[in-house]
Amino acid sequence: MSASAQPPRRHAVAIVHVTIVDVASGARLPDQTVVVRGDRIAAVGPAARTRVPAGATRVDATGRFLIPGLWDMHTHTGAIADVQFPLHLANGVTGIRDLHLGVGDAARRSVRLRDEVASGRRLGPRMMVGVNLTGGDDERPTLIRALSPARGRVIVDSVARIGVDLVKVLSLVDRDVYFAIVDEARQRGLPVEGHVPIGVSAAEASDAGQRTIEHVVEGNLTSGCSAADSTFRAEWLAATRLPRNGARRERVLANFVASARAYDEGSCRDLAHKLARNGTAITPTLTVEHLGFEIGAAPAFADSTRPYAPARWWKWFDDARAAPATHDTTAWRALLRRDMAIVALMRREGVTVLVGTDLGTEGFPAAGFAYHEELRLLVQAGLTPLEALRAATLDAARVLHVRTGEVKIDRLADLVLLDADPTIDIDNASRVRGVVAAGRWLDRSALDALLRGVRARIAEIDRASVARP
């Protein structure tokens, strides 16, 4: 099955003699049958008492475990969905929050992809899509610059008309522009998610109603967990007024490290309590921090997935990894450890933690595969395997207000069949035997065919790149 193949038709599917993992309670329900009709779960119950419809595809899942489909809550699909969609599905990721939208055709393309998947015309993960709003001297062509409160309101109005699901703000949005964006988005019924702008504290963003905070450092969580939040954010803001060069980057990194060293547990608990009280979720994206700042050998998953990303992406990655470090890597590793500790504390204090990779754009390959690295890092940070699994499924569904996240009657039929119990070892979540994506059953052979199609597509992209003058 190629990456762009016509989606298989929906037939009734019965997964029999399976152990269902209840991600809410942690209970494991043995010898169950789950029946899927169309894009919904039609029946769930003990195998001995649950009827399998005539003509249904029958999947004997003896000894295997069924979980809800996984959500990657921070992805960047870009222009090669035919590569990234199969990688997500092959890894059990049946839903994504896509945050790569920019202007014009790029925005409309992602909305169209979302709608094609939702209608069954394209095989891929369920999508929520959002725009990126930036400010300052950030002139990347994939982003929309909001340089005044009035302009911010106009942009929100225009993207709402395109049909996006959310608005994402980035760090360089000015404080007054941010609050105008939040207010306009509220009037348009659009949630605001993303970084927390430098001039705004994480506590203020939460009080303003920002639904999710992306990243630990750029979400102002690291500085917010110090006793000098405003001081560190003021230094970061001053650094952004320097020319875009190595000196600016080093000053920003030094400030991040300093904020981590100034960690204050009482301040962090106060911030966590506010986020929990306001229902503000966090998406730490620990994987991209480990990959993105030349801190040494990349995780093993990265090199093992070379056939699944274009050579030009790997050149960026390899060049960055091979370049001499321009900053104190020991201090940076300490920052990452502190960020992981902040995530664990926030989870203990009742903050909803989501699973997102921030991967998929140039320089950060391995869409889908990286998701399981993010789960591992969350467990290393201090979440239990069950907490990480709940973050990946039920908590994501609740934040997004979609009917996935549980193996229950009338939920959307996004499911993953695993060879081993993920509540014992989170690595077992990567042992995917089959996937139900919007009611369509993809067994291991179908998933392997998707991967072969991606490898072929990548080879085609690489050949075209070499041939280009």
Side-chain angles (χ1 to χ4, degrees), residues 163-191:
V164 302
D165 298 299
L166 60 101
V167 173
K168 178 189 174 187
V169 292
L170 297 178
S171 298
L172 293 180
V173 172
D174 287 341
R175 177 182 174 89
D176 57 344
V177 178
Y178 169 79
F179 286 109
I181 288 169
V182 170
D183 180 64
E184 189 69 22
R186 183 183 298 112
Q187 295 183 47
R188 299 292 175 181
L190 290 176

PDB file of all heavy atoms in Angstrom, residues 163-191:
ATOM      1  N   GLY A 163     -11.119  28.388   8.383  1.00  0.00           N
ATOM      2  CA  GLY A 163     -11.636  27.169   8.998  1.00  0.00           C
ATOM      3  C   GLY A 163     -10.654  26.426   9.864  1.00  0.00           C
ATOM      4  O   GLY A 163     -10.797  25.212  10.063  1.00  0.00           O
ATOM      5  N   VAL A 164      -9.648  27.125  10.417  1.00  0.00           N
ATOM      6  CA  VAL A 164      -8.686  26.451  11.285  1.00  0.00           C
ATOM      7  C   VAL A 164      -9.341  26.128  12.625  1.00  0.00           C
ATOM      8  O   VAL A 164     -10.413  26.641  12.966  1.00  0.00           O
ATOM      9  CB  VAL A 164      -7.426  27.316  11.485  1.00  0.00           C
ATOM     10  CG1 VAL A 164      -6.772  27.635  10.147  1.00  0.00           C
ATOM     11  CG2 VAL A 164      -7.741  28.585  12.259  1.00  0.00           C
ATOM     12  N   ASP A 165      -8.660  25.266  13.381  1.00  0.00           N
ATOM     13  CA  ASP A 165      -9.204  24.825  14.668  1.00  0.00           C
ATOM     14  C   ASP A 165      -8.671  25.619  15.853  1.00  0.00           C
ATOM     15  O   ASP A 165      -9.252  25.569  16.941  1.00  0.00           O
ATOM     16  CB  ASP A 165      -8.869  23.343  14.896  1.00  0.00           C
ATOM     17  CG  ASP A 165      -9.480  22.448  13.841  1.00  0.00           C
ATOM     18  OD1 ASP A 165     -10.717  22.432  13.739  1.00  0.00           O
ATOM     19  OD2 ASP A 165      -8.723  21.788  13.096  1.00  0.00           O
ATOM     20  N   LEU A 166      -7.548  26.322  15.662  1.00  0.00           N
ATOM     21  CA  LEU A 166      -6.922  27.005  16.779  1.00  0.00           C
ATOM     22  C   LEU A 166      -5.936  28.048  16.275  1.00  0.00           C
ATOM     23  O   LEU A 166      -5.569  28.060  15.095  1.00  0.00           O
ATOM     24  CB  LEU A 166      -6.199  26.004  17.691  1.00  0.00           C
ATOM     25  CG  LEU A 166      -5.072  25.189  17.040  1.00  0.00           C
ATOM     26  CD1 LEU A 166      -3.702  25.751  17.403  1.00  0.00           C
ATOM     27  CD2 LEU A 166      -5.158  23.721  17.445  1.00  0.00           C
ATOM     28  N   VAL A 167      -5.509  28.917  17.179  1.00  0.00           N
ATOM     29  CA  VAL A 167      -4.481  29.911  16.899  1.00  0.00           C
ATOM     30  C   VAL A 167      -3.280  29.607  17.781  1.00  0.00           C
ATOM     31  O   VAL A 167      -3.430  29.415  18.996  1.00  0.00           O
ATOM     32  CB  VAL A 167      -4.993  31.335  17.181  1.00  0.00           C
ATOM     33  CG1 VAL A 167      -3.860  32.355  17.060  1.00  0.00           C
ATOM     34  CG2 VAL A 167      -6.142  31.693  16.242  1.00  0.00           C
ATOM     35  N   LYS A 168      -2.107  29.568  17.164  1.00  0.00           N
ATOM     36  CA  LYS A 168      -0.875  29.320  17.918  1.00  0.00           C
ATOM     37  C   LYS A 168      -0.047  30.597  17.964  1.00  0.00           C
ATOM     38  O   LYS A 168       0.235  31.204  16.926  1.00  0.00           O
ATOM     39  CB  LYS A 168      -0.052  28.203  17.274  1.00  0.00           C
ATOM     40  CG  LYS A 168       1.278  27.927  17.984  1.00  0.00           C
ATOM     41  CD  LYS A 168       2.138  26.970  17.184  1.00  0.00           C
ATOM     42  CE  LYS A 168       3.525  26.807  17.818  1.00  0.00           C
ATOM     43  NZ  LYS A 168       4.417  26.007  16.955  1.00  0.00           N
ATOM     44  N   VAL A 169       0.358  30.996  19.160  1.00  0.00           N
ATOM     45  CA  VAL A 169       1.210  32.173  19.316  1.00  0.00           C
ATOM     46  C   VAL A 169       2.646  31.735  19.570  1.00  0.00           C
ATOM     47  O   VAL A 169       2.901  30.682  20.167  1.00  0.00           O
ATOM     48  CB  VAL A 169       0.727  33.076  20.467  1.00  0.00           C
ATOM     49  CG1 VAL A 169      -0.598  33.716  20.130  1.00  0.00           C
ATOM     50  CG2 VAL A 169       0.620  32.291  21.772  1.00  0.00           C
ATOM     51  N   LEU A 170       3.595  32.551  19.106  1.00  0.00           N
ATOM     52  CA  LEU A 170       5.013  32.287  19.293  1.00  0.00           C
ATOM     53  C   LEU A 170       5.636  33.322  20.227  1.00  0.00           C
ATOM     54  O   LEU A 170       5.000  34.309  20.609  1.00  0.00           O
ATOM     55  CB  LEU A 170       5.727  32.268  17.941  1.00  0.00           C
ATOM     56  CG  LEU A 170       5.264  31.152  16.987  1.00  0.00           C
ATOM     57  CD1 LEU A 170       6.001  31.250  15.647  1.00  0.00           C
ATOM     58  CD2 LEU A 170       5.478  29.779  17.605  1.00  0.00           C
ATOM     59  N   SER A 171       6.886  33.122  20.560  1.00  0.00           N
ATOM     60  CA  SER A 171       7.521  33.878  21.639  1.00  0.00           C
ATOM     61  C   SER A 171       7.660  35.366  21.361  1.00  0.00           C
ATOM     62  O   SER A 171       7.655  36.177  22.297  1.00  0.00           O
ATOM     63  CB  SER A 171       8.913  33.288  21.929  1.00  0.00           C
ATOM     64  OG  SER A 171       8.809  31.944  22.356  1.00  0.00           O
ATOM     65  N   LEU A 172       7.819  35.777  20.096  1.00  0.00           N
ATOM     66  CA  LEU A 172       8.106  37.166  19.779  1.00  0.00           C
ATOM     67  C   LEU A 172       6.874  38.041  19.606  1.00  0.00           C
ATOM     68  O   LEU A 172       6.985  39.218  19.266  1.00  0.00           O
ATOM     69  CB  LEU A 172       8.988  37.248  18.530  1.00  0.00           C
ATOM     70  CG  LEU A 172      10.413  36.686  18.697  1.00  0.00           C
ATOM     71  CD1 LEU A 172      11.193  36.806  17.414  1.00  0.00           C
ATOM     72  CD2 LEU A 172      11.138  37.388  19.836  1.00  0.00           C
ATOM     73  N   VAL A 173       5.695  37.493  19.828  1.00  0.00           N
ATOM     74  CA  VAL A 173       4.483  38.313  19.813  1.00  0.00           C
ATOM     75  C   VAL A 173       4.530  39.279  21.000  1.00  0.00           C
ATOM     76  O   VAL A 173       4.783  38.880  22.142  1.00  0.00           O
ATOM     77  CB  VAL A 173       3.224  37.434  19.891  1.00  0.00           C
ATOM     78  CG1 VAL A 173       1.977  38.280  20.066  1.00  0.00           C
ATOM     79  CG2 VAL A 173       3.106  36.564  18.647  1.00  0.00           C
ATOM     80  N   ASP A 174       4.301  40.571  20.733  1.00  0.00           N
ATOM     81  CA  ASP A 174       4.325  41.561  21.805  1.00  0.00           C
ATOM     82  C   ASP A 174       3.170  41.350  22.777  1.00  0.00           C
ATOM     83  O   ASP A 174       2.113  40.813  22.424  1.00  0.00           O
ATOM     84  CB  ASP A 174       4.239  42.979  21.229  1.00  0.00           C
ATOM     85  CG  ASP A 174       5.536  43.422  20.562  1.00  0.00           C
ATOM     86  OD1 ASP A 174       6.591  42.811  20.839  1.00  0.00           O
ATOM     87  OD2 ASP A 174       5.484  44.377  19.772  1.00  0.00           O
ATOM     88  N   ARG A 175       3.373  41.833  23.990  1.00  0.00           N
ATOM     89  CA  ARG A 175       2.407  41.617  25.061  1.00  0.00           C
ATOM     90  C   ARG A 175       1.010  42.155  24.700  1.00  0.00           C
ATOM     91  O   ARG A 175       0.015  41.440  24.833  1.00  0.00           O
ATOM     92  CB  ARG A 175       2.924  42.298  26.339  1.00  0.00           C
ATOM     93  CG  ARG A 175       1.979  42.203  27.526  1.00  0.00           C
ATOM     94  CD  ARG A 175       2.534  42.940  28.736  1.00  0.00           C
ATOM     95  NE  ARG A 175       1.560  42.956  29.804  1.00  0.00           N
ATOM     96  CZ  ARG A 175       1.433  42.013  30.750  1.00  0.00           C
ATOM     97  NH1 ARG A 175       2.232  40.983  30.737  1.00  0.00           N
ATOM     98  NH2 ARG A 175       0.517  42.106  31.687  1.00  0.00           N
ATOM     99  N   ASP A 176       0.932  43.409  24.232  1.00  0.00           N
ATOM    100  CA  ASP A 176      -0.384  43.976  23.929  1.00  0.00           C
ATOM    101  C   ASP A 176      -1.033  43.278  22.739  1.00  0.00           C
ATOM    102  O   ASP A 176      -2.262  43.112  22.679  1.00  0.00           O
ATOM    103  CB  ASP A 176      -0.289  45.480  23.693  1.00  0.00           C
ATOM    104  CG  ASP A 176       0.674  45.861  22.583  1.00  0.00           C
ATOM    105  OD1 ASP A 176       1.507  45.014  22.184  1.00  0.00           O
ATOM    106  OD2 ASP A 176       0.616  47.022  22.114  1.00  0.00           O
ATOM    107  N   VAL A 177      -0.202  42.829  21.787  1.00  0.00           N
ATOM    108  CA  VAL A 177      -0.725  42.089  20.637  1.00  0.00           C
ATOM    109  C   VAL A 177      -1.289  40.746  21.103  1.00  0.00           C
ATOM    110  O   VAL A 177      -2.350  40.309  20.649  1.00  0.00           O
ATOM    111  CB  VAL A 177       0.366  41.892  19.575  1.00  0.00           C
ATOM    112  CG1 VAL A 177      -0.169  41.075  18.397  1.00  0.00           C
ATOM    113  CG2 VAL A 177       0.899  43.237  19.099  1.00  0.00           C
ATOM    114  N   TYR A 178      -0.583  40.095  22.018  1.00  0.00           N
ATOM    115  CA  TYR A 178      -1.031  38.790  22.531  1.00  0.00           C
ATOM    116  C   TYR A 178      -2.430  38.882  23.133  1.00  0.00           C
ATOM    117  O   TYR A 178      -3.322  38.089  22.802  1.00  0.00           O
ATOM    118  CB  TYR A 178      -0.043  38.278  23.584  1.00  0.00           C
ATOM    119  CG  TYR A 178      -0.541  37.071  24.357  1.00  0.00           C
ATOM    120  CD1 TYR A 178      -0.495  35.795  23.797  1.00  0.00           C
ATOM    121  CD2 TYR A 178      -1.065  37.213  25.633  1.00  0.00           C
ATOM    122  CE1 TYR A 178      -0.962  34.683  24.504  1.00  0.00           C
ATOM    123  CE2 TYR A 178      -1.532  36.116  26.344  1.00  0.00           C
ATOM    124  CZ  TYR A 178      -1.481  34.853  25.772  1.00  0.00           C
ATOM    125  OH  TYR A 178      -1.947  33.763  26.471  1.00  0.00           O
ATOM    126  N   PHE A 179      -2.653  39.862  23.993  1.00  0.00           N
ATOM    127  CA  PHE A 179      -3.955  39.948  24.654  1.00  0.00           C
ATOM    128  C   PHE A 179      -5.057  40.319  23.669  1.00  0.00           C
ATOM    129  O   PHE A 179      -6.204  39.881  23.816  1.00  0.00           O
ATOM    130  CB  PHE A 179      -3.886  40.910  25.835  1.00  0.00           C
ATOM    131  CG  PHE A 179      -3.144  40.338  27.009  1.00  0.00           C
ATOM    132  CD1 PHE A 179      -1.897  40.825  27.368  1.00  0.00           C
ATOM    133  CD2 PHE A 179      -3.673  39.287  27.739  1.00  0.00           C
ATOM    134  CE1 PHE A 179      -1.196  40.286  28.440  1.00  0.00           C
ATOM    135  CE2 PHE A 179      -2.977  38.732  28.816  1.00  0.00           C
ATOM    136  CZ  PHE A 179      -1.731  39.237  29.165  1.00  0.00           C
ATOM    137  N   ALA A 180      -4.722  41.060  22.627  1.00  0.00           N
ATOM    138  CA  ALA A 180      -5.710  41.344  21.581  1.00  0.00           C
ATOM    139  C   ALA A 180      -6.047  40.063  20.815  1.00  0.00           C
ATOM    140  O   ALA A 180      -7.223  39.808  20.499  1.00  0.00           O
ATOM    141  CB  ALA A 180      -5.174  42.409  20.627  1.00  0.00           C
ATOM    142  N   ILE A 181      -5.032  39.246  20.520  1.00  0.00           N
ATOM    143  CA  ILE A 181      -5.247  37.971  19.821  1.00  0.00           C
ATOM    144  C   ILE A 181      -6.143  37.061  20.660  1.00  0.00           C
ATOM    145  O   ILE A 181      -7.099  36.457  20.155  1.00  0.00           O
ATOM    146  CB  ILE A 181      -3.896  37.301  19.529  1.00  0.00           C
ATOM    147  CG1 ILE A 181      -3.157  38.053  18.419  1.00  0.00           C
ATOM    148  CG2 ILE A 181      -4.087  35.832  19.146  1.00  0.00           C
ATOM    149  CD1 ILE A 181      -1.706  37.617  18.246  1.00  0.00           C
ATOM    150  N   VAL A 182      -5.827  36.959  21.942  1.00  0.00           N
ATOM    151  CA  VAL A 182      -6.611  36.088  22.823  1.00  0.00           C
ATOM    152  C   VAL A 182      -8.065  36.549  22.871  1.00  0.00           C
ATOM    153  O   VAL A 182      -9.000  35.735  22.803  1.00  0.00           O
ATOM    154  CB  VAL A 182      -5.999  36.062  24.243  1.00  0.00           C
ATOM    155  CG1 VAL A 182      -6.933  35.362  25.220  1.00  0.00           C
ATOM    156  CG2 VAL A 182      -4.640  35.373  24.224  1.00  0.00           C
ATOM    157  N   ASP A 183      -8.265  37.847  22.983  1.00  0.00           N
ATOM    158  CA  ASP A 183      -9.628  38.370  23.055  1.00  0.00           C
ATOM    159  C   ASP A 183     -10.395  38.117  21.762  1.00  0.00           C
ATOM    160  O   ASP A 183     -11.553  37.667  21.788  1.00  0.00           O
ATOM    161  CB  ASP A 183      -9.587  39.868  23.348  1.00  0.00           C
ATOM    162  CG  ASP A 183     -10.986  40.474  23.429  1.00  0.00           C
ATOM    163  OD1 ASP A 183     -11.743  40.091  24.344  1.00  0.00           O
ATOM    164  OD2 ASP A 183     -11.325  41.301  22.561  1.00  0.00           O
ATOM    165  N   GLU A 184      -9.749  38.381  20.613  1.00  0.00           N
ATOM    166  CA  GLU A 184     -10.424  38.169  19.337  1.00  0.00           C
ATOM    167  C   GLU A 184     -10.705  36.686  19.105  1.00  0.00           C
ATOM    168  O   GLU A 184     -11.777  36.316  18.609  1.00  0.00           O
ATOM    169  CB  GLU A 184      -9.575  38.734  18.200  1.00  0.00           C
ATOM    170  CG  GLU A 184     -10.269  38.766  16.850  1.00  0.00           C
ATOM    171  CD  GLU A 184     -11.407  39.769  16.784  1.00  0.00           C
ATOM    172  OE1 GLU A 184     -11.411  40.727  17.595  1.00  0.00           O
ATOM    173  OE2 GLU A 184     -12.306  39.604  15.922  1.00  0.00           O
ATOM    174  N   ALA A 185      -9.745  35.843  19.465  1.00  0.00           N
ATOM    175  CA  ALA A 185      -9.938  34.401  19.291  1.00  0.00           C
ATOM    176  C   ALA A 185     -11.102  33.911  20.146  1.00  0.00           C
ATOM    177  O   ALA A 185     -11.891  33.061  19.712  1.00  0.00           O
ATOM    178  CB  ALA A 185      -8.656  33.660  19.644  1.00  0.00           C
ATOM    179  N   ARG A 186     -11.212  34.432  21.336  1.00  0.00           N
ATOM    180  CA  ARG A 186     -12.333  34.034  22.201  1.00  0.00           C
ATOM    181  C   ARG A 186     -13.661  34.393  21.537  1.00  0.00           C
ATOM    182  O   ARG A 186     -14.610  33.597  21.546  1.00  0.00           O
ATOM    183  CB  ARG A 186     -12.205  34.717  23.562  1.00  0.00           C
ATOM    184  CG  ARG A 186     -13.289  34.311  24.552  1.00  0.00           C
ATOM    185  CD  ARG A 186     -13.173  35.072  25.866  1.00  0.00           C
ATOM    186  NE  ARG A 186     -11.911  34.790  26.538  1.00  0.00           N
ATOM    187  CZ  ARG A 186     -10.930  35.672  26.709  1.00  0.00           C
ATOM    188  NH1 ARG A 186     -11.064  36.914  26.243  1.00  0.00           N
ATOM    189  NH2 ARG A 186      -9.825  35.343  27.327  1.00  0.00           N
ATOM    190  N   GLN A 187     -13.731  35.573  20.948  1.00  0.00           N
ATOM    191  CA  GLN A 187     -14.965  35.981  20.279  1.00  0.00           C
ATOM    192  C   GLN A 187     -15.277  35.103  19.069  1.00  0.00           C
ATOM    193  O   GLN A 187     -16.447  34.920  18.725  1.00  0.00           O
ATOM    194  CB  GLN A 187     -14.848  37.447  19.844  1.00  0.00           C
ATOM    195  CG  GLN A 187     -14.748  38.431  20.994  1.00  0.00           C
ATOM    196  CD  GLN A 187     -14.699  39.868  20.518  1.00  0.00           C
ATOM    197  OE1 GLN A 187     -15.491  40.262  19.669  1.00  0.00           O
ATOM    198  NE2 GLN A 187     -13.779  40.649  21.062  1.00  0.00           N
ATOM    199  N   ARG A 188     -14.221  34.568  18.434  1.00  0.00           N
ATOM    200  CA  ARG A 188     -14.402  33.710  17.259  1.00  0.00           C
ATOM    201  C   ARG A 188     -14.539  32.235  17.626  1.00  0.00           C
ATOM    202  O   ARG A 188     -14.673  31.389  16.738  1.00  0.00           O
ATOM    203  CB  ARG A 188     -13.213  33.879  16.309  1.00  0.00           C
ATOM    204  CG  ARG A 188     -13.033  35.304  15.786  1.00  0.00           C
ATOM    205  CD  ARG A 188     -14.160  35.688  14.875  1.00  0.00           C
ATOM    206  NE  ARG A 188     -14.066  37.093  14.448  1.00  0.00           N
ATOM    207  CZ  ARG A 188     -14.935  37.688  13.669  1.00  0.00           C
ATOM    208  NH1 ARG A 188     -16.000  37.015  13.233  1.00  0.00           N
ATOM    209  NH2 ARG A 188     -14.789  38.949  13.336  1.00  0.00           N
ATOM    210  N   GLY A 189     -14.475  31.915  18.906  1.00  0.00           N
ATOM    211  CA  GLY A 189     -14.605  30.532  19.334  1.00  0.00           C
ATOM    212  C   GLY A 189     -13.386  29.688  19.047  1.00  0.00           C
ATOM    213  O   GLY A 189     -13.486  28.454  18.951  1.00  0.00           O
ATOM    214  N   LEU A 190     -12.211  30.331  18.924  1.00  0.00           N
ATOM    215  CA  LEU A 190     -10.973  29.605  18.643  1.00  0.00           C
ATOM    216  C   LEU A 190     -10.102  29.563  19.888  1.00  0.00           C
ATOM    217  O   LEU A 190      -9.823  30.602  20.495  1.00  0.00           O
ATOM    218  CB  LEU A 190     -10.183  30.275  17.514  1.00  0.00           C
ATOM    219  CG  LEU A 190     -10.758  30.194  16.108  1.00  0.00           C
ATOM    220  CD1 LEU A 190      -9.882  30.989  15.144  1.00  0.00           C
ATOM    221  CD2 LEU A 190     -10.865  28.745  15.654  1.00  0.00           C
ATOM    222  N   PRO A 191      -9.631  28.396  20.297  1.00  0.00           N
ATOM    223  CA  PRO A 191      -8.674  28.344  21.397  1.00  0.00           C
ATOM    224  C   PRO A 191      -7.320  28.910  20.984  1.00  0.00           C
ATOM    225  O   PRO A 191      -6.940  28.840  19.815  1.00  0.00           O
ATOM    226  CB  PRO A 191      -8.569  26.847  21.715  1.00  0.00           C
ATOM    227  CG  PRO A 191      -8.985  26.162  20.460  1.00  0.00           C
ATOM    228  CD  PRO A 191      -9.970  27.054  19.785  1.00  0.00           C
TER     229      PRO A 191
END
